[in-house]
Amino acid sequence: MSYHLQVASAAFLVMHELNMKIKEKKVRRKRRFWRSKLYIDIENRGANLCTQFQNFTRMSSADFEKIINLIGPKIIKQNTNMRPAITVTVRLAVTLRFLATGDSYSSLQYLFGISKQIISRIIPEVCMALVEVLKKYVKMPSTLNEWLNIPKQFETTWNYPNCIGSMDGKHVVLQSPMNSGTEYFNYKSCFSIVLFALVDADYNFLFVDIGCQGRISDGGVFKNSELNKKIESGKLNLPSPVPLPGKNVDIPFVILADGAFALTNHIMKPYSGTYDKGTKERVFNYRLSRARRTVENAFGISSAVFRVLRKSSLLEPQKAQIVIMAVVYLHNFLRHSKLSRNIYTPPGSFDREEEGRMILGDWR
């Protein structure tokens, strides 16, 4: 073997050995981080945010802790040898922040130090847990006394007798769902799903139907709803008709609606057209529209505090439905809470009438 060939062979062997050692070091090298520096110290950052959360959500700290205790067993995760789990407190804080602002997952990841992939799993899970633990706050009356309390409130507050609620629909805007065509395209020239609701005189949701395509009118949503089916079949257990104050003719209890709904024995809507001031039709339309403001105010307050209802959502319709349902249940929960009622809806929030003059609520 020539001298030059021996040198070349030796050099090749040395280079091969060095290359193998380098590869071995790369394989055995320990990772310095299990996650990016952006996501380190989640616990401290989440805890600091939660201390300021009361002012942002208009929820008392006691109610925040109450919700944590309720949903904790349903969403808690176990720690692993590699990293601690994200706590229930942080998971709830992320979800409430999303509901309150409607911010994108990308914005939330920089605020909480949690990746947007994990946030996309946390929010639907927490919303489902909220709906499950707060379901007792949204329910139809089941007894005669419960039904009769609603007309008493409407007559006392809005001077409209024999009324068991006001109903309307609200479009929650979405970005065009994939492969949906014009199925969710509404008359406002945007894509949406419908939040249909029945509301009592104290601005609480009694019944909701969420998820119907935006192209369907409010009347069509009601026609296909469980509420209408129960009314037509007589399974709603409504009180028997009674006379109006000062009258002798029995009048059925009715739900107030706008012109988009059909007139039936239990659905009352305004006279169509324009009438002169002082006429019976004009007075009736004013009384009905004034009492029907309860549903508009319920939509307005929930949208003003939980601004996810005002922004165009990037979620698919199924997940958007869960998020909207969580907002509805939180609305009733906060309205029933002695600690958070005035925080969530301080005096002056709703439309009101003083000395015959209508004063618009602060939510507008």
Side-chain angles (χ1 to χ4, degrees):
M1 182 180 296
S2 66
Y3 173 76
H4 295 289
L5 184 58
Q6 291 178 2
V7 173
S9 299
F12 176 79
L13 292 172
V14 171
M15 291 173 62
H16 178 72
E17 186 176 354
L18 291 174
N19 188 39
M20 292 300 294
K21 289 182 179 181
I22 291 173
K23 287 184 178 180
E24 186 177 357
K25 287 183 178 180
K26 286 184 177 180
V27 172
R28 293 182 179 180
R29 187 181 64 180
K30 293 183 178 180
R31 296 179 62 178
R32 291 187 299 164
F33 306 108
W34 279 105
R35 52 187 169 175
S36 170
K37 290 183 179 180
L38 174 65
Y39 307 133
I40 295 177
D41 203 17
I42 294 175
E43 299 295 332
N44 294 334
R45 297 181 65 181
N48 291 336
L49 287 169
C50 288
T51 58
Q52 303 297 325
F53 217 73
Q54 174 178 339
N55 293 333
F56 189 81
T57 60
R58 296 188 179 184
M59 181 188 300
S60 68
S61 57
D63 282 331
F64 186 75
E65 290 294 331
K66 181 178 180 179
I67 293 178
I68 289 175
N69 294 330
L70 290 173
I71 68 173
K74 300 181 182 297
I75 66 172
I76 192 170
K77 305 297 180 183
Q78 292 184 347
N79 296 331
T80 67
N81 295 329
M82 294 175 285
R83 63 182 79 95
I86 300 173
T87 64
V88 174
T89 301
V90 176
R91 288 172 180 270
L92 178 59
V94 171
T95 303
L96 291 179
R97 176 70 177 181
F98 172 74
L99 297 179
T101 64
D103 286 346
S104 66
Y105 294 165
S106 298
S107 297
L108 293 174
Q109 75 171 344
Y110 295 111
L111 180 62
F112 286 92
I114 306 173
S115 70
K116 59 184 179 182
Q117 290 80 6
I118 297 179
I119 291 176
S120 68
R121 296 171 59 185
I122 288 176
I123 290 175
E125 182 183 8
V126 175
C127 286
M128 284 289 291
L130 287 171
V131 171
E132 188 174 348
V133 301
L134 301 179
K135 59 183 178 182
K136 67 178 182 179
Y137 291 96
V138 179
K139 62 178 182 178
M140 295 286 288
S142 56
T143 65
L144 183 61
N145 288 334
E146 289 178 351
W147 273 117
L148 291 176
N149 285 334
I150 299 176
K152 288 180 182 178
Q153 286 183 315
F154 270 103
E155 186 171 2
T156 302
T157 307
W158 301 108
N159 197 18
Y160 197 103
N162 286 33
C163 176
I164 56 173
S166 60
M167 66 180 181
D168 201 0
K170 174 181 174 57
H171 287 268
V172 181
V173 180
L174 306 174
Q175 288 204 0
S176 177
M178 295 180 63
N179 303 319
S180 64
T182 59
E183 190 175 3
Y184 292 89
F185 196 73
N186 61 33
Y187 70 98
K188 298 181 179 180
S189 299
C190 61
F191 297 87
S192 66
I193 59 176
V194 179
L195 163 58
F196 172 80
L198 174 68
V199 178
D200 66 12
D202 197 30
Y203 313 100
N204 297 308
F205 292 104
L206 297 175
F207 171 86
V208 290
D209 185 295
I210 304 171
C212 202
Q213 299 93 329
R215 64 182 176 82
I216 302 177
S217 66
D218 292 345
V221 176
F222 169 69
K223 185 177 180 180
N224 297 317
S225 69
E226 191 66 25
L227 175 63
N228 183 50
K229 294 176 183 177
K230 287 186 176 182
I231 292 176
E232 291 183 344
S233 63
K235 295 181 179 179
L236 204 57
N237 299 322
L238 294 177
S240 301
V242 296
L244 297 177
K247 304 294 181 180
N248 297 321
V249 180
D250 289 341
I251 301 296
F253 289 86
V254 295
I255 298 174
L256 305 184
D258 57 20
F261 298 86
L263 183 67
T264 67
N265 287 337
H266 293 290
I267 307 299
M268 184 61 67
K269 69 176 188 177
Y271 285 101
S272 60
T274 304
Y275 299 90
D276 295 332
K277 188 175 182 180
T279 59
K280 294 180 179 179
E281 292 83 0
R282 178 126 178 198
V283 172
F284 174 81
N285 285 356
Y286 172 77
R287 290 278 188 91
L288 187 148
S289 299
R290 183 179 60 182
R292 201 184 63 82
R293 283 174 178 260
T294 55
V295 65
E296 294 181 357
N297 278 249
F299 286 151
I301 286 294
S302 57
S303 299
V305 176
F306 300 108
R307 303 183 75 87
V308 68
L309 299 182
R310 289 190 175 184
K311 293 188 176 182
S312 179
S313 176
L314 298 173
L315 301 175
E316 288 297 312
Q318 293 75 16
K319 289 188 177 180
Q321 181 178 350
I322 297 171
V323 168
I324 298 169
M325 186 69 75
V327 170
V328 169
Y329 280 75
L330 282 171
H331 170 88
N332 275 22
F333 169 75
L334 296 175
R335 288 286 298 159
H336 283 86
S337 171
K338 295 181 180 179
L339 298 174
S340 296
R341 183 182 176 94
N342 289 332
I343 299 174
Y344 179 64
T345 51
S349 297
F350 298 108
D351 297 342
R352 61 192 185 279
E353 187 179 27
E354 293 182 1
E355 299 179 354
R357 184 167 57 93
M358 184 61 66
I359 300 176
L360 300 180
D362 294 340
W363 68 267
R364 296 183 182 272

